[in-house]
Amino acid sequence: MVAALSRHLDALLACRACPNVVGLPVTGAVASARVMLVGQAPGPHEADSRRPFAYTAGKRLFTWFRDRLDVSEEQFRERVYIGAVIRCFPGRDPKAGGDRVPDAEEIARCGEHLDREIRLLKPELVIAVGTLASTQLLGISQLKDAVGRMHRAKRAGRSFDVVVLPHPSGRSTWLNKPENAALLDQSLQLIAAHPAWTSVM
Ligand code: SF4
């Protein structure tokens, strides 16, 4: 498996299939991980450092796990395989501001990398971060319908549990509502109680 994962990472990091992305592929690989995280796409800082969740969104994300689940960023990065819907920085969206949302072709193309990881790692729990990851894994695009519940998904011939978190980007105001903050707490509790999580943390 380690050799197969290594071959996969070579292919992923060498991938240049999307002409409109800006950065090079970014991933947070952990061999034999039982828990995967799937985010949306790296931002410019992640593209520069080649490290997922390396800037402000990551700070917020890792603060949730540190403060509520007593898991440090280092522990998280050592034990959870960090992937994304697409692995390269899509570039800025000049009209909407912020990062460009990946298009359907990019999602489909990069989904092949994610499928290979799911086949190789056979994760028991996937943490989907943000609406794009929720939509891709569950077909649920509304955070209020996705966060705070345990879901079951099937992909790449595997079945696994999915817990959704809102995107930790500072641009998101979703968590400003108390009822949504309560849903985040529920998601974190579901992760903390999951057997795959307790076996590695
Ligand atoms: S987004 Fe994915 S498929 Fe596209 S170039 Fe990057 S790694 Fe390859």
Side-chain angles (χ1 to χ4, degrees):
M1 206 286 280
V2 173
L5 183 64
S6 177
R7 281 195 299 276
H8 160 70
L9 290 171
D10 287 346
L12 170 60
L13 296 175
C15 184
R16 304 287 185 270
C18 298
N20 296 328
V21 299
V22 176
L24 298 176
V26 175
T27 204
V30 175
S32 307
R34 296 177 65 186
V35 181
M36 279 184 78
L37 180 146
V38 178
Q40 176 163 314
H45 297 279
E46 286 76 12
D48 283 347
S49 63
R50 307 290 300 274
R51 187 172 158 89
F53 289 100
Y55 200 54
T56 50
K59 265 200 184 101
R60 197 177 190 199
L61 176 76
F62 293 122
T63 298
W64 294 342
F65 283 92
R66 185 196 65 205
D67 292 354
R68 301 183 210 190
L69 273 61
D70 201 23
V71 169
S72 69
E73 176 178 342
E74 291 70 27
Q75 288 172 314
F76 193 101
R77 288 188 186 276
E78 280 168 9
R79 299 170 200 186
V80 176
Y81 192 108
I82 302 181
V85 173
I86 80 163
R87 306 305 167 92
C88 299
F89 173 43
R92 305 289 287 176
D93 182 335
K95 283 187 191 154
D99 298 347
R100 178 175 68 80
V101 177
D103 67 32
E105 282 184 14
E106 291 165 342
I107 291 170
R109 218 178 272 132
C110 214
E112 293 177 22
H113 294 306
L114 181 60
D115 287 347
R116 208 177 313 124
E117 286 161 342
I118 290 170
R119 282 194 291 272
L120 284 169
L121 294 167
K122 305 178 179 61
E124 292 156 47
L125 172 65
V126 175
I127 301 168
V129 178
T131 48
L132 193 67
S134 171
T135 304
Q136 293 309 310
L137 288 166
L138 299 170
I140 302 176
S141 59
Q142 296 294 318
L143 283 179
K144 67 176 173 47
D145 299 326
V147 181
R149 301 176 196 180
M150 183 66 72
H151 304 269
R152 191 86 183 149
K154 199 167 180 191
R155 182 167 174 144
R158 303 287 312 172
S159 293
F160 45 86
D161 293 330
V162 179
V163 175
V164 179
L165 300 178
H167 200 282
S169 157
R171 290 173 63 85
S172 168
T173 57
W174 190 81
L175 279 171
N176 293 351
K177 289 188 176 173
E179 62 269 31
N180 292 342
L183 290 175
L184 168 62
D185 278 334
Q186 286 173 30
S187 276
L188 290 168
Q189 290 311 314
L190 288 168
I191 292 168
H194 195 281
W197 182 265
T198 55
S199 72
V200 295
M201 295 299 178

